[in-house]
Amino acid sequence: MPTLDKEILAAVAAGTGCGLVLLDDNDQVTYWSPQMEEITKLGSEQIVGRPWEGLLLPSGFAPDEDDNSLPEMVNADQALPGMTFHDFPGGKVGVLRLVSNPVFSDSETFPFFISETPSGIPNQRALLDLLRRQLAYQERYRVSFSLLFLRIKNYHTFIEVLGPEDWEITNRAVFDQLSAYVRMTDSVGLYDDATFWAILTNSSVEGSRVVADKIKRLISTMQVSGLDVFLDAAVGGVCAREGESVDDLLVRGQAELDKAVQDATGISFSG
């Protein structure tokens, strides 16, 4: 494969946050992106040139360097159930989305998102896992991203009238709306009973602010069945800073959300 092609694929992988695998027409691996190396702890020199069929990868996260235990090896298709292949002249490209949809909670697969709510929504623990990964990508590849929080301000009204079970149904509807709106490379989930989170990959301050405003407007048009009341939403967010920790990013994001709840526009965003 020409060097330029590898550089393009590496840029696409870094920009989208996806793991990429390229197979030739004999289904042999010709490219293994840095994201795949980080996930599997197997370098491209160990994978390139080997056939995909019968390729063994560690199930779950590979052990740390100071961990002497060895992971169980399973077929690549079993270890990476989220990998989808697309045909093109001369081979296939495999794309592994490192996002919250779908959520893999099976202990025999790579647990990118190891926690979800009973209704299948990535939760707070999933967010923490994703933030650690995105901050590592930002440091390594200089790829910016943003964290948004969306809070349903009048959720107590719905819980009092409909009860917790129906509110879970409402949360699922909000999640579905957010998932349908954001890009394939973005992620959404539920932070607490009435607060959603969203990760916008490869995003600028201005672009993220526009998305925050559109998300707020989108959710505010939702009306719960059986009640003549619309959801009252507020959105706050921040762009991640280089060298920032997960805790620092969360504190800044929640501070912006608190400002948004108090602001008449329902929007607050900072770089």
Side-chain angles (χ1 to χ4, degrees):
M1 170 182 277
T3 302
L4 179 60
D5 288 348
K6 290 183 180 180
E7 292 176 352
I8 291 175
L9 287 172
V12 170
T16 63
C18 293
L20 297 181
V21 178
L22 199 65
L23 308 182
D24 62 18
D25 53 7
N26 293 317
D27 280 350
Q28 289 190 333
V29 180
T30 60
Y31 178 75
W32 188 253
S33 77
Q35 288 78 6
M36 298 303 300
E37 294 186 8
E38 184 171 346
I39 293 166
T40 64
K41 300 299 188 292
L42 296 176
S44 59
E45 72 281 358
Q46 299 171 272
I47 301 296
V48 171
R50 298 176 61 182
W52 182 260
E53 184 176 358
L55 180 65
L56 296 179
L57 299 175
S59 64
F61 285 117
D64 296 330
E65 293 181 358
D66 57 354
D67 187 347
N68 294 324
S69 64
L70 296 176
E72 178 188 2
M73 305 299 286
V74 298
N75 288 330
D77 289 336
Q78 181 181 351
L80 303 170
M83 177 75 71
T84 58
F85 283 96
H86 307 272
D87 294 324
F88 71 95
K92 301 176 183 176
V93 60
V95 181
L96 182 66
R97 293 178 55 206
L98 305 184
V99 296
S100 61
N101 237 341
V103 177
F104 305 123
S105 56
D106 186 342
S107 61
E108 294 184 355
T109 64
F110 286 107
F112 307 125
F113 298 94
I114 57 178
S115 299
E116 58 183 18
T117 68
S119 58
I121 303 175
N123 66 10
Q124 185 177 143
R125 186 172 180 181
L127 171 63
L128 297 179
D129 290 343
L130 180 57
L131 287 179
R132 282 190 285 268
R133 187 176 299 278
Q134 287 298 130
L135 286 170
Y137 285 163
Q138 178 171 273
E139 180 178 358
R140 180 174 296 185
Y141 305 112
R142 298 296 185 267
V143 178
S144 61
F145 73 95
S146 296
L147 168 64
L148 300 182
F149 284 114
L150 179 145
R151 178 171 297 162
I152 308 301
K153 296 166 59 177
N154 57 345
Y155 80 102
H156 283 298
T157 299
F158 295 100
I159 291 181
E160 291 173 0
V161 176
L162 301 176
E165 291 185 3
D166 280 353
W167 179 246
E168 288 184 9
I169 296 174
T170 300
N171 270 340
R172 181 71 207 194
V174 173
F175 171 73
D176 290 341
Q177 287 286 328
L178 293 174
S179 298
Y181 175 78
V182 300
R183 300 167 300 176
M184 289 183 62
T185 55
D186 298 333
S187 310
V188 296
L190 189 64
Y191 193 76
D192 58 34
D193 288 341
T195 307
F196 290 83
W197 55 263
I199 297 293
L200 308 180
T201 61
N202 198 22
S203 57
S204 65
V205 173
E206 287 305 317
S208 299
R209 186 178 286 111
V210 170
V211 172
D213 179 67
K214 290 184 176 180
I215 284 177
K216 192 262 182 186
R217 294 175 184 272
L218 171 70
I219 302 306
S220 295
T221 63
M222 294 183 62
Q223 183 178 8
V224 177
S225 177
L227 289 179
D228 188 23
V229 180
F230 289 89
L231 298 181
D232 185 9
V235 180
V238 291
C239 267
R241 298 169 179 168
E242 290 188 15
E244 191 168 33
S245 69
V246 170
D247 289 342
D248 290 341
L249 182 58
L250 287 173
V251 168
R252 288 204 300 123
Q254 290 168 344
E256 293 300 323
L257 177 61
D258 291 340
K259 292 179 184 178
V261 170
Q262 300 300 322
D263 194 287
T265 66
I267 297 290
S268 183
F269 192 92
S270 67

